[in-house]
Every structure is written in C-alpha cells, then in structure tokens.
Amino acid sequence: MRWEKFLVALVIVFFAIVFQVRLSGGGGAVVDVALAALVACGAVLTVGEMALLTVLAAWALNWEPVFGWEIGVFIIVVTLARLMRPFLPWQPWFSNLLAVGVAALCFNFLAAWPLPATDPVAFLTSWLGTIFVGAFVFQFLRVVFGRETGSR
C-alpha cells in the first residue's frame, strides 16, 4: 500500500508541476499548484517519501543550471509543512488548510516578496487559489485512500 500512495502522490505532483508551468506563462497572479499539491500529499506520505518527492519536484521546477535560492525556500517550506503536520491538533481537513495556507504565505513572503507589498489583490488571489488547490488535492486523497488520510 505504501508504494501505491507514493505513486499516486507522484502522479498528482507531476500534473501539478505541468499545470503550474503552463499557468505561469500567462503572467499575472500565479497559483502555487506544486506547493499546494506537495503539502497536501504530506498527509499520506512518510517524511522520507515526502523528502524524495520534494527534491524531485524542485528538480523539475528548476530548469536553470544553478540552484536558485527560491527553490531552496520551496524545499524548506514544504519540508517544514510536512514536519509540523503531526503537531496540528485539529481535524485533518482543517490542518491541511492551515498547512497549505501557512506554507503558501511563507513561500510568497520569502521567495516572491515584491508581490505581497506591491499588488495585494494578486497576492490574495494567488494565496486563496493555492489553498483551494491544496484542499482539492487533500479531498481527492481522502476519496482514494479513505478517511484515515491526514490522521496521525
């Protein structure tokens, strides 16, 4: 069953990355689809599986030959979101919303700083869209793997 969860998470993150790359070409507010999918997949993956998937996603998102600091922030934020998940005392769906929301906030304030300050509407649109994608992925995982998704 573990390999099935990892395989499903890998497919979800792959489609999220493809969708995010296609979405980012249009300009304007960009929803962090890969970030939301990774944080939501943390509900079914172990820390080791999550680390592997995060590094693969960072490698796929970073098309430059040099490791950018934004990718480092991406890896750190996703890892911290996964590590804090067992300590969240609320219902799994709310804990997921909180984890995705805080991760998106941290990523936007650390890696995309001018956006929150210069265009708050685009920032809010991006942030709420990221939370929506995270909620959608989490509910999909609950349908596929059952109600134990996200429980400690």
Side-chain angles (χ1 to χ4, degrees):
M1 182 83 146
R2 291 270 12 127
W3 65 272
E4 291 172 352
K5 290 181 179 182
F6 183 77
L7 188 61
V8 168
L10 183 68
V11 169
I12 288 171
V13 171
F14 170 76
F15 281 114
I17 290 171
V18 169
F19 187 70
Q20 181 168 335
V21 168
R22 300 289 296 176
L23 203 70
S24 66
V30 176
V31 176
D32 298 317
V33 182
L35 179 79
L38 277 167
V39 173
C41 286
V44 296
L45 298 177
T46 65
V47 174
E49 293 167 341
M50 192 68 196
L52 176 63
L53 192 59
T54 303
V55 168
L56 289 174
W59 175 76
L61 286 171
N62 188 25
W63 289 102
E64 300 171 9
V66 178
F67 185 77
W69 66 274
E70 294 93 351
I71 294 297
V73 170
F74 179 83
I75 292 171
I76 290 169
V77 165
V78 170
T79 303
L80 289 176
R82 172 58 184 95
L83 292 175
M84 78 173 198
R85 189 174 288 276
F87 301 106
L88 298 176
W90 302 287
Q91 293 289 326
W93 66 269
F94 185 73
S95 294
N96 179 68
L97 284 179
L98 186 66
V100 171
V102 169
L105 228 113
C106 290
F107 181 72
N108 280 314
F109 274 94
L110 294 173
W113 166 243
L115 181 65
T118 58
D119 194 357
V121 173
F123 165 70
L124 263 172
T125 304
S126 173
W127 185 63
L128 292 174
T130 302
I131 292 173
F132 175 76
V133 170
F136 179 79
V137 170
F138 181 78
Q139 290 305 325
F140 176 77
L141 291 171
R142 284 191 82 154
V143 167
V144 172
F145 294 116
R147 297 197 53 83
E148 78 277 352
T149 300
S151 60
R152 293 178 216 124

